[in-house]
Amino acid sequence: MAEKDNDLPRDARVVQSLLKSMGVEKYEPRVIHQFLELWYRYVVDVSTDAQVYSEHAGKAAIDCDDVKLAVQSKVNFTFSQPPPREVLLELARSRNKIPLPKTISGPGIPLPPEQDTLISPNYQLAIPRRQSAQAMEEAEEDERSDANPSQEQKTDVPQSTPRRVSFPLSKHPK
């Protein structure tokens, strides 16, 4: 294991020593690479932000104040602090003052209304009612005989009204 430790880059050995100092003895070797990737990404983000702050201030180079500002903005906007314990306790007290609603249903599992379930009909077809053959012929004759019919004559022709048909879903045989 000592030879393997010497083959690692310095940053990987630092991560390895941090893990040992925290009492972590067994871990996947990829854990070191994941920590290194997180570490490098964080350093690049902070360095980039520090450079932007330095350019905004009109400085020629990045100084310690730029890095502090970049780290502080990273902490403020990336990591969120939970509210104090007292605030959480007060919220819990006010919420727990509201009693739970009484159960309406009897014993068993309460089910949602039938219109909200997946077993109710889920689509409808609009099927027009068919006219008799004689009524259709009369309508065609009226249209041919009158080249420019008025609105009143058009409303006298019987209109087909659609009717709705629902098909419930059934189980398919396996």
Side-chain angles (χ1 to χ4, degrees):
M1 181 100 177
E3 291 176 10
K4 198 173 190 182
D5 289 345
N6 290 337
D7 293 342
L8 291 175
R10 184 183 66 84
D11 293 341
R13 287 194 304 254
V14 169
V15 171
Q16 197 174 36
S17 66
L18 284 172
L19 288 171
K20 284 182 183 176
S21 70
M22 293 172 56
V24 179
E25 296 295 328
K26 290 185 176 182
Y27 52 87
E28 288 282 327
R30 293 181 294 174
V31 169
I32 294 176
H33 299 292
Q34 289 172 343
F35 274 121
L36 285 173
E37 182 180 346
L38 179 68
W39 183 6
Y40 291 153
R41 187 179 304 149
Y42 181 78
V43 168
V44 166
D45 286 348
V46 168
S47 300
T48 306
D49 289 349
Q51 182 179 8
V52 168
Y53 296 146
S54 175
E55 289 173 1
H56 182 72
K59 300 177 189 174
I62 299 173
D63 62 2
C64 187
D65 291 333
D66 297 327
V67 175
K68 285 181 183 178
L69 184 59
V71 169
Q72 188 61 40
S73 69
K74 195 83 164 152
V75 168
N76 288 343
F77 295 112
T78 303
F79 307 107
S80 62
Q81 296 293 325
R85 187 167 194 264
E86 295 78 25
V87 172
L88 290 176
L89 287 172
E90 183 59 35
L91 285 172
R93 274 190 221 101
S94 66
R95 185 66 183 166
N96 289 334
K97 285 180 183 177
I98 303 170
L100 293 174
K102 303 284 188 229
T103 58
I104 298 171
S105 64
I109 300 172
L111 295 176
E114 189 170 330
Q115 69 267 15
D116 294 336
T117 62
L118 294 176
I119 58 175
S120 63
N122 63 348
Y123 60 91
Q124 296 178 340
L125 299 177
I127 301 173
R129 292 188 180 150
R130 292 192 176 255
Q131 296 178 349
S132 65
Q134 184 180 4
M136 289 178 70
E137 288 175 7
E138 290 175 3
E140 288 176 6
E141 287 176 10
D142 289 342
E143 287 176 6
R144 278 189 236 139
S145 65
D146 209 3
N148 191 6
S150 66
Q151 290 293 335
E152 294 174 7
Q153 291 172 341
K154 283 186 179 178
T155 57
D156 292 341
V157 177
Q159 299 290 325
S160 62
T161 57
R163 58 188 168 125
R164 295 190 176 270
V165 179
S166 296
F167 295 96
L169 298 175
S170 61
K171 292 185 179 179
H172 294 290
K174 291 182 182 180

